[in-house]
Amino acid sequence: MSKRTADEDSAGPLKGRSRPDAMDIDDDKTNEMGEFEDEFEDEFESEDEIIEAGVDGRPDAEREAEEGAMELDNPQGTFIVGRTKLEPGQTLSPDPTTYRMLHNLSTPWPCLSFDIIRDGLGDNRSVYPMTMYTVAGTQAENSKASDNSLMVMKLSALSKMQGGDDNDSSDGEDDDEDSDPLLEHKSIPLNSTTNRIRAHQVPATGASQTPTTLTATMTESTNPLYTIRTHKSEGYAVDWSTLHPQGKLLTGDNDGLIYVTTRTDGGGFVTDTRPFTGHTSSVEELQWSPSEASVFASASSDGTIRIWDLRSKTHKPALSMQVSNVDVNVMSWSRQTTHLLASGDDAGVWGVWDLRQWKSGGKPTPIASFDYHKEQITSVEWHPTDDSIVAVSAGDNTVTIWDLAVELDDEESKDTGGVADVPPQLLFVHYQNLAKEVHWHPQIPGVLSATGEEFSVFRTISV
């Protein structure tokens, strides 16, 4: 990864599985001064006799210096999103000058998990207003479980902020920066909350055909294409392999078991009934290797990350590493630098691991570790094209963006602006109530989507 100094950049409860209250449903959306005479000028023989006194009788410069020192000595006086508690009646409002784009959209019920669907509108696009597609599963109240659904959503008219970055393109006069975003959706009824959802596109077989999008959910649904019946407990871990175009799926459950399901050439599905075993507690996350078709990683509430190979006849892990003393909730495998793996745990700590340093029987040391968040990490994801940028969401109602290329000299403070425990690698903090998941859009550079009480689609000035 390329390295930059700290001066170059500046920072602008999933685990409880609790269900928030239902949201409101919006059916429509989605002089120049002249000279003056000093009447006291004759009372002073020279300017040297004039003393500038502030409100407390001291020179302003002396007082301001003392106040500045007090602020540095009292970091608790600095408001930090996600840490500082709001007073009754207080609310947070985003600073529009720090966003290139920011939209919040409501769904009938909040969503615990979602995924972005690739579309045919082109890659590396930057023209406003923007359009994107997502799929999500709702989490209705327990008493209204029948209201749950799988939602395929089209978000359009996503305009840039007024006075946005001139580097961003717009569609001429047709771009109405004040227009409201539109949310259109189709729903498939479900019988329960969706714990995790992931989409996979099967390439089209002909020029006149469109790709087939498959969606896997850890839930009970109505009339699915295929149901994996090998799991005997619920789960949260699910991942499609990008190296198996026709579709190969990993699923993990609360019993610590992992199963592999393969889509056949005829369009059917086959699940290997022999589980991969080794975890002593629930499987929280699964990630296929982006470079080796038979290799995957798992993270568990037993505090370990394990590396597996499908070719193993024993279905046991090839490598097991104790990376935390608490639950490891989430994980992301870098697609740009494939020996880097990021993980986040229940204590609010997230870190980056170099898999080349992992040896059987050894104790792993992260190449980067941050305990900025004070609640559980609920999502972590590498930027799709920049191996130094990571997005993280946490139970402290925040989504943060980090730049791992920022390095410190030995003499430099590990704090930012004199505020303790705010590392210089922290680029941006976005407030997201009940933040659950965050994903980079693979076709629109720098655009993030996050789910919580609402859906947020945004791009900051820092990325």
Side-chain angles (χ1 to χ4, degrees):
M1 295 184 292
S2 60
K3 300 298 180 182
R4 298 186 287 276
T5 62
D7 293 333
E8 290 183 48
D9 297 286
S10 59
L14 171 65
K15 199 61 182 175
R17 314 300 186 194
S18 59
R19 292 176 171 81
D21 295 334
M23 298 182 296
D24 294 333
I25 302 174
D26 189 343
D27 294 329
D28 292 334
K29 10 185 199 172
T30 57
N31 258 315
E32 204 172 54
M33 296 180 61
E35 295 183 359
F36 62 93
E37 181 179 355
D38 186 354
E39 60 180 318
F40 302 107
E41 63 179 347
D42 293 337
E43 297 183 12
F44 299 97
E45 294 182 359
S46 70
E47 293 183 356
D48 294 336
E49 298 180 27
I50 301 176
I51 300 177
E52 297 181 355
V55 293
D56 59 357
R58 294 181 297 159
D60 289 339
E62 179 183 331
R63 186 184 71 259
E64 291 171 358
E66 181 178 316
E67 290 175 350
M70 291 176 62
E71 290 180 0
L72 293 180
D73 291 338
N74 181 28
Q76 291 79 9
T78 302
F79 186 93
I80 301 177
V81 177
R83 293 192 196 175
T84 308
K85 301 297 183 182
L86 293 173
E87 298 294 334
Q90 287 184 327
T91 58
L92 291 177
S93 297
D95 180 355
T97 65
T98 62
Y99 291 88
R100 299 183 185 182
M101 178 176 69
L102 174 61
H103 296 287
N104 296 314
L105 304 98
S106 297
T107 54
W109 291 98
C111 299
L112 183 67
S113 181
F114 78 105
D115 206 359
I116 295 175
I117 301 175
R118 294 187 65 93
D119 54 52
L121 301 179
D123 294 337
N124 298 316
R125 57 187 192 259
S126 60
V127 175
Y128 293 91
M130 292 180 172
T131 297
M132 61 181 291
Y133 296 84
T134 66
V135 61
T138 63
Q139 52 170 160
E141 295 175 350
N142 286 330
S143 60
K144 297 183 178 180
S146 60
D147 288 354
N148 279 299
S149 64
L150 185 151
M151 301 173 60
V152 181
M153 295 176 283
K154 176 184 179 181
L155 290 70
S156 59
L158 301 174
S159 56
K160 66 180 179 181
M161 304 293 289
Q162 285 188 333
D165 193 328
D166 292 337
N167 292 328
D168 288 327
S169 302
S170 63
D171 208 4
E173 296 179 357
D174 294 334
D175 180 20
D176 183 358
E177 294 183 353
D178 294 324
S179 64
D180 291 330
L182 300 178
L183 172 59
E184 305 169 70
H185 75 276
K186 296 290 186 180
S187 297
I188 300 173
L190 300 179
N191 300 324
S192 62
T193 293
T194 297
N195 294 338
R196 190 71 59 84
I197 187 169
R198 291 293 181 263
H200 172 73
Q201 279 195 342
V202 180
T205 57
S208 61
Q209 296 180 327
T210 58
T212 299
T213 300
L214 303 174
T215 299
T217 65
M218 294 298 285
T219 185
E220 297 177 4
S221 62
T222 303
N223 298 323
L225 287 176
Y226 179 74
T227 299
I228 300 173
R229 303 187 183 280
T230 49
H231 294 286
K232 304 306 178 184
S233 64
E234 72 169 333
Y236 291 85
V238 56
D239 194 41
W240 291 97
S241 172
T242 60
L243 301 181
H244 293 271
Q246 290 302 312
K248 189 176 285 289
L249 181 70
L250 291 169
T251 52
D253 61 30
N254 288 353
D255 292 333
L257 304 180
I258 301 168
Y259 290 91
V260 179
T261 299
T262 304
R263 187 170 183 257
T264 65
D265 293 337
F269 294 86
V270 176
T271 300
D272 188 341
T273 58
R274 300 170 302 152
F276 287 81
T277 60
H279 284 296
T280 59
S281 191
S282 62
V283 179
E284 298 292 315
E285 182 74 281
L286 289 163
Q287 286 273 292
W288 285 98
S289 166
S291 60
E292 298 181 72
S294 64
V295 176
F296 67 91
S298 61
S300 169
S301 55
D302 62 15
T304 67
I305 292 177
R306 301 176 192 247
I307 309 297
W308 313 74
D309 194 321
L310 294 180
R311 296 168 295 186
S312 169
K313 295 181 180 180
T314 63
H315 281 208
K316 295 293 184 181
L319 198 60
S320 299
M321 288 292 169
Q322 190 78 36
V323 300
S324 176
N325 294 324
V326 296
D327 299 10
V328 183
N329 298 328
V330 291
M331 184 173 54
S332 179
W333 207 319
S334 172
R335 296 204 178 327
Q336 295 296 310
T337 307
T338 57
H339 59 264
L340 295 181
L341 190 72
S343 66
D345 69 18
D346 227 23
V349 177
W350 78 275
V352 177
W353 310 89
D354 187 339
L355 299 181
R356 297 172 303 179
Q357 300 177 1
W358 284 16
K359 306 297 181 184
S360 181
K363 183 177 182 181
T365 300
I367 61 173
S369 181
F370 303 95
D371 61 355
Y372 171 81
H373 291 284
K374 300 308 177 185
E375 298 289 343
Q376 66 272 20
I377 304 299
T378 61
S379 183
V380 59
E381 186 167 289
W382 291 93
H383 190 285
T385 60
D386 191 330
D387 64 358
S388 68
I389 304 296
V390 181
V392 177
S393 67
D396 56 10
N397 301 321
T398 63
V399 174
T400 53
I401 303 174
W402 301 77
D403 186 357
L404 303 180
V406 175
E407 282 194 332
L408 294 175
D409 295 333
D410 293 339
E411 298 81 12
E412 288 184 283
S413 169
K414 293 185 179 180
D415 304 326
T416 298
V419 181
D421 301 325
V422 180
Q425 291 87 353
L426 177 60
L427 287 184
F428 199 89
V429 180
H430 170 80
Y431 180 79
Q432 179 87 21
N433 194 35
L434 302 176
K436 294 294 189 292
E437 259 186 24
V438 60
H439 297 300
W440 298 94
H441 198 292
Q443 297 172 279
I444 311 178
V447 170
L448 282 161
S449 294
T451 185
E453 189 175 56
E454 294 181 311
F455 262 98
S456 288
V457 181
F458 62 96
R459 185 183 182 190
T460 74
I461 61 174
S462 59
V463 179

